[in-house]
Amino acid sequence: MTIRVMLVDDQVLLRTGFRMVLAAQPDMEVVAEAGDGVEALQVLAATAVDVVLMDVRMPKLDGVETTRRICSEPDPPKVLILTTFDLDEYAFSGLKAGASGFMLKDVPPGDLLAAIRAVHSGDAVVAPSTTRRLLDRFAPMLPSAGREPQHKELERLTEREREVMILVAQGLSNGEIAARLVLSEATVKTHVGRILTKLGLRDRVQVVVLAYETGLVRAGGHG
């Protein structure tokens, strides 16, 4: 199955470089390009895309707002934010807007390709630990930071699912959570899947963001 990729960046040279890397892959095809967010939304309305590589700083409509609009549509493509600086506010805002992850623009080609495949398969590209560092830094921007958990859907989780969610938000992998809770890794995977379904979330990155927003996990600390 070919992964249909769209490149959104106002730098033509950068798009050309990415296109060359992707074109060499038997399982990927660049089906669309855009130089700003407005153009990206217009193109997406008429083109089937699986993964969008999204620059954040663009004219007319920036990548964060473009991501938010894309992710509010039914059955949207996955969005991978491209940023110049690790742990900057654009990456944070992009995750909040619904992106499945972020990558640095100078990422090695192999890492970029692996990220596209991971996002396409439904995984989050950003390690939860990286997301957590990002949220620790920008937690004051969160509306409910520091309060008691506010998200009503959290009440639908079992006690065990809540435990798992807190550990996901603290950056632990399924294997690490399994060891901590003395469970099999398959059981942890099942719990994570149920958490995503019950809370209507797409991936682990959104679990981390929600855990911070609701106060289930606090900046620099634990739940």
Side-chain angles (χ1 to χ4, degrees):
M1 181 179 174
T2 301
I3 303 172
R4 298 165 297 188
V5 181
M6 179 178 188
L7 307 176
V8 184
D9 197 301
D10 61 337
Q11 296 180 48
V12 178
L13 200 58
L14 207 64
R15 294 206 310 266
T16 302
F18 283 141
R19 194 190 322 118
M20 288 172 65
V21 170
L22 299 183
Q25 304 305 305
D27 61 338
M28 293 184 195
E29 180 187 1
V30 176
V31 295
E33 294 185 35
D36 61 66
V38 173
E39 184 185 358
L41 294 173
Q42 291 170 344
V43 172
L44 273 173
T47 311
V49 173
D50 299 310
V51 178
V52 179
L53 293 185
M54 180 74 70
D55 186 24
V56 281
R57 305 183 196 199
M58 296 182 296
K60 297 184 183 176
L61 194 66
D62 67 35
V64 173
E65 180 57 29
T66 306
T67 297
R68 186 175 293 110
R69 295 188 192 184
I70 290 172
C71 294
S72 67
E73 293 292 321
D75 195 25
K78 301 291 173 58
V79 178
L80 192 53
I81 294 281
L82 294 170
T83 178
T84 311
F85 304 104
D86 192 12
L87 298 186
D88 73 2
E89 71 272 20
Y90 290 100
F92 170 84
S93 300
L95 296 179
K96 287 263 295 163
S100 293
F102 67 90
M103 302 290 288
L104 293 176
K105 282 191 174 183
D106 60 358
V107 63
D111 289 357
L112 177 67
L113 297 171
I116 292 170
R117 292 185 181 105
V119 162
H120 182 249
S121 70
D123 289 336
V125 168
V126 190
S129 55
T130 305
T131 308
R132 184 172 173 202
R133 285 191 294 122
L134 190 68
L135 287 166
D136 278 348
R137 179 167 168 186
F138 294 106
M141 296 165 62
L142 291 169
S144 24
R147 297 182 198 163
E148 287 305 303
Q150 299 289 323
H151 205 270
K152 272 194 169 178
E153 278 78 359
L154 291 183
E155 297 168 8
R156 298 165 60 187
L157 300 181
T158 64
E159 193 57 42
R160 177 62 89 190
E161 287 165 354
R162 206 177 173 94
E163 279 183 283
V164 171
M165 181 173 177
I166 288 170
L167 294 176
V168 168
Q170 289 171 6
L172 275 65
S173 66
N174 285 355
E176 291 166 336
I177 293 171
R180 179 80 64 91
L181 299 179
V182 197
L183 299 170
S184 72
E185 201 165 330
T187 300
V188 172
K189 194 171 182 182
T190 299
H191 283 313
V192 172
R194 286 180 182 151
I195 291 165
L196 294 176
T197 301
K198 285 184 178 181
L199 301 181
L201 304 175
R202 279 192 300 278
D203 53 44
R204 294 170 78 98
V205 167
Q206 291 198 323
V207 171
V208 184
V209 172
L210 182 62
Y212 273 74
E213 281 187 316
T214 57
L216 192 62
V217 169
R218 291 183 172 83
H222 301 280

